[in-house]
Structure formats: structure tokens, C-alpha cells
Amino acid sequence: MSTPSLAQVVAVLEHLYPSGTAEGWDRPGLVCGDPDAPVERVLLAVDPTDEVVTEALDGSYDLVVAHHPLLLRGVSSVAATTPKGRAVHRLVRGGTALLTAHTNADSARPGVSDALARVIGLVDLEPLVPSSSDPSLGLGRTGRLERPLALRAFAEQVAAALPGTAGGVRVAGDPDARVERVAVCGGAGDSLFEQVRAAGVDAYVTADLRHHPASEARELDPGAALVEVSHWASEWPWLHGAAERLLAALAEQGHAVTTSVSTLRSDPWSFHVPSPTPTTTR
């Protein structure tokens, strides 16, 4: 097995997660790095935070594959006076490339929501929002539990399957309601409530639910429970499968790298203070 160049690794990742399937507002792809540089060690992470950059540099990784873009919105400068500019400078100085796969990894099959669905126990997965160009791809997933559970038990199963965070898991719905058909969306998913209602599921697992969209969703479909998890935790399971697929695809071409999945929690919250008198809501 030979050591691939960065360009060869990028080509494999482009095949696995085509940038053309990303949403129009997204900015996936190579952020920095010399295409001719050799790649022996690859670190996968959800967020290209300063801590992850430090992990990559300290571990002598040649490439960081991150889910979230570093430069999502247009910039006119990457001066090291800003956190994002500082990250670029540190990576370039350290000889570490950065590539991001965002909504193209969401739409892929298997992609981010497939990984989330499988770790929480769903089978028979289909896209929640099929792509117009290929109905087998798309955002979110629907599936079913092999054995129906009460909502409380299902939420506990979700919490046990995902890495712990300060926010934990929040639930809206009757704790004793029967859950069998479930929709999921890794990351922020309250833009997909219309599709969730059309899918006729018993519960929807996603992150970053805002007050008004969530409240309206419950009013329009009281039978569909909401299970809110951490944004970071909902996307972290994808990293392991992405690493395995990258290794396999490179091996088919006669190349070998080593991969690691970052266990640094880039969830932004530090701790959670429960209400002194919690109440049950609808």
C-alpha cells in the first residue's frame, strides 16, 4: 500500500460525499492544504474548533475532515486576529489540511442522518426529504423501531446511544405514547417539520429546536413527539462510518492511511441547571 496525496484523498471524499449534492448556501470542500502533500494520518471531527486544531497539530495529522464548514459565510480576510483566521494560519503553519463535508454528507447514503438513525435503533431507513435528482439521497431519514417503545423508554434509548452533553435530551409528548415510526435529522431540523408531518411518524429526533416552530409543530400534530438532542451529539456518530468508508475506498486504489475520530466535545454548553420544580408539558 502506498501513501496517497492530499489530492487523491480529496478525490475519494468527493466521490463519497459529492459537493454537488450540498445545499446551495453551503460551502463544503478543501479549505486549506497542498494537493501534492502526502497524507498518512487523518483526524475526523464535527467542528474545526481551536481545540480540534490543537489536537490535529499535536497528533501530527496531515488532514482534518470536519463536518461543519470553517468558512461558511463569505469573508474578506483570514487574518489571525479572528478565531477562524487563526485556525487557518495554525493549520497552514503546521502542514495540516482541512476539508469539510457538510450538507453533502447529510444527503449522502449512508450519511449523517443514517448514522444517527441506526445508533438509536431504527431500521428500514428512507430519506425524509428525497433529493430531486436521486430519490435515494436527501435530508433526514425515516425508519422504524424493531420493537415499539413508550416515548419515555425511547428517549432513554436515544440518550444512552449518543455521547453525553450538558443539555441532555429534551422531550415533548406523552411519556407513555407508543413510538414505532420515527423521523430523524442530524443537526438543526426544525426547518423540516412540514415533511415530518407528511411522514406520519410517532416521534422526531433532531437538534436545535426553537420555541415557536416546536410549539406550532406540536399544535399541528400533537401525536408526533419531539425528541431534541445536542447538535454535536446528533452528528458525531457519522464520523466513524466516514472513517471506515474512506479507508476502504483508498484501499481499493492501493493506498493506506490511518484515521482517528476526535472525542473532543465541541458542544458549546458547559453545564445544565434543572428547574427546581419541573413541570410536565404537552
Side-chain angles (χ1 to χ4, degrees):
M1 292 286 188
S2 62
T3 299
S5 67
L6 175 60
Q8 289 170 319
V9 177
V10 169
V12 166
L13 288 167
E14 175 65 20
H15 175 73
L16 293 172
Y17 308 108
S19 56
T21 63
E23 299 295 294
W25 49 265
D26 200 7
R27 296 294 181 270
L30 189 64
V31 178
C32 62
D34 179 353
D36 295 326
V39 174
E40 296 181 349
R41 290 170 54 77
V42 180
L43 178 68
L44 293 94
V46 174
D47 297 289
T49 60
D50 188 61
E51 292 80 6
V52 168
V53 171
T54 297
E55 180 182 13
L57 297 177
D58 288 348
S60 299
Y61 289 94
D62 305 300
L63 170 64
V64 175
V65 176
H67 179 50
H68 288 145
L70 178 68
L71 305 174
L72 180 58
R73 295 174 177 84
V75 297
S76 58
S77 169
V78 288
T81 52
T82 66
K84 292 181 185 296
R86 185 165 60 250
V88 172
H89 279 259
R90 293 183 68 205
L91 289 166
V92 171
R93 282 199 305 267
T96 300
L98 171 63
L99 180 141
T100 65
H102 192 208
T103 54
N104 49 325
D106 291 332
S107 292
R109 193 165 190 181
V112 173
S113 290
D114 291 288
L116 171 60
R118 294 197 187 285
V119 298
I120 67 173
L122 302 186
V123 297
D124 299 336
L125 304 182
E126 297 293 341
L128 174 62
V129 187
S131 167
S132 58
S133 59
D134 183 348
S136 70
L137 309 177
L139 300 178
R141 294 294 182 266
T142 60
R144 64 176 179 84
L145 293 169
E146 293 188 291
R147 180 176 63 86
L149 294 171
L151 176 58
R152 183 182 296 279
F154 173 63
E156 291 171 348
Q157 180 166 299
V158 171
L162 297 177
T165 59
V169 174
R170 299 196 300 179
V171 185
D174 178 355
D176 298 318
R178 182 179 186 272
V179 175
E180 182 175 10
R181 282 194 47 77
V182 178
V184 306
C185 177
D190 65 15
S191 63
L192 304 182
F193 276 137
E194 182 178 346
Q195 291 86 350
V196 171
R197 286 193 293 274
V201 297
D202 304 311
Y204 180 37
V205 181
T206 190
D208 295 351
L209 293 180
R210 294 168 294 168
H211 174 87
H212 294 295
S215 180
E216 181 177 299
R218 291 288 294 150
E219 291 174 351
L220 290 171
D221 189 2
L226 302 179
V227 180
E228 184 191 42
V229 301
S230 155
H231 191 126
W232 169 82
S234 74
E235 296 173 329
W236 188 79
W238 167 75
L239 301 175
H240 293 278
E244 292 172 1
R245 286 185 287 278
L246 175 61
L247 289 173
L250 286 170
E252 288 181 0
Q253 299 179 4
H255 300 307
V257 299
T258 60
T259 61
S260 299
V261 170
S262 176
T263 58
L264 291 174
R265 280 166 168 73
S266 50
D267 183 84
W269 308 110
S270 301
F271 63 93
H272 170 71
V273 179
S275 300
T277 54
T279 58
T280 300
T281 59
R282 53 190 171 84

